Amino acid sequence: MGIIIGVIGAGNASDEEKRISQEVGVLIAESNCLLLCGAMGGVMEATCRGAKSAGGTTIGILPGTKTSSVNRFIDIPIVTGMGEARNVIVAKSSHCIIAIGGGFGTLSEISFALKSQIPVIGLDTWDVSEDIIR
């Protein structure tokens, strides 16, 4: 099994967040890692687009019960029917997380990862450094 990099962020990302996300996706693919995300739009779609452009493999954890909502760059869609509870799967199935922008859903995934001692890299996202938390 390869290294799984989870990428999290807003489904309604800014153009700059999408640009950064696409670059991150390329770097993940070029590193021969698997990309795991929430399978929807915004940061997730842009990262998958980047990964696919570099020959990478993408895995999407869907909140709903149908694959019809998956972004077109997902290779392996995983249907959960769990809504936002799927954030736990995204966080805990990754060897590390890259957070790009995002709102409270992203914050929840960051929290699940940190609680599980999974490293988190933040790019223009929530500040959850130890100095802030304590």
Side-chain angles (χ1 to χ4, degrees):
M1 180 176 81
I3 294 174
I4 299 171
I5 308 293
V7 177
I8 59 176
N12 58 348
S14 70
D15 289 341
E16 179 64 6
E17 290 169 334
K18 290 176 188 176
R19 184 191 65 74
I20 293 167
S21 299
Q22 189 163 341
E23 288 181 29
V24 165
V26 168
L27 293 171
I28 290 170
E30 288 176 347
S31 299
N32 293 316
C33 295
L34 301 170
L35 169 62
L36 177 77
C37 69
M40 305 302 283
V43 163
M44 298 163 278
E45 182 172 5
T47 307
C48 290
R49 181 185 309 113
K52 293 308 300 170
S53 74
T57 300
T58 60
I59 305 164
I61 310 297
L62 286 154
T65 59
K66 296 182 172 119
T67 59
S68 58
S69 61
V70 70
N71 79 59
R72 63 187 172 150
F73 302 103
I74 293 291
D75 293 314
I76 304 166
I78 298 173
V79 176
T80 69
M82 297 175 66
E84 292 174 348
R86 67 96 146 75
N87 293 356
V88 175
I89 296 170
V90 173
K92 291 185 177 255
S93 296
S94 302
H95 292 104
C96 77
I97 293 285
I98 300 173
I100 303 169
F104 291 125
T106 303
L107 180 59
S108 74
E109 289 168 310
I110 291 169
S111 298
F112 292 130
L114 292 175
K115 187 168 177 133
S116 300
Q117 299 181 337
I118 296 167
V120 176
I121 298 166
L123 303 174
D124 200 22
T125 191
W126 296 89
D127 184 354
V128 292
S129 63
E130 288 187 35
D131 294 339
I132 299 297
I133 295 173
R134 293 179 188 198

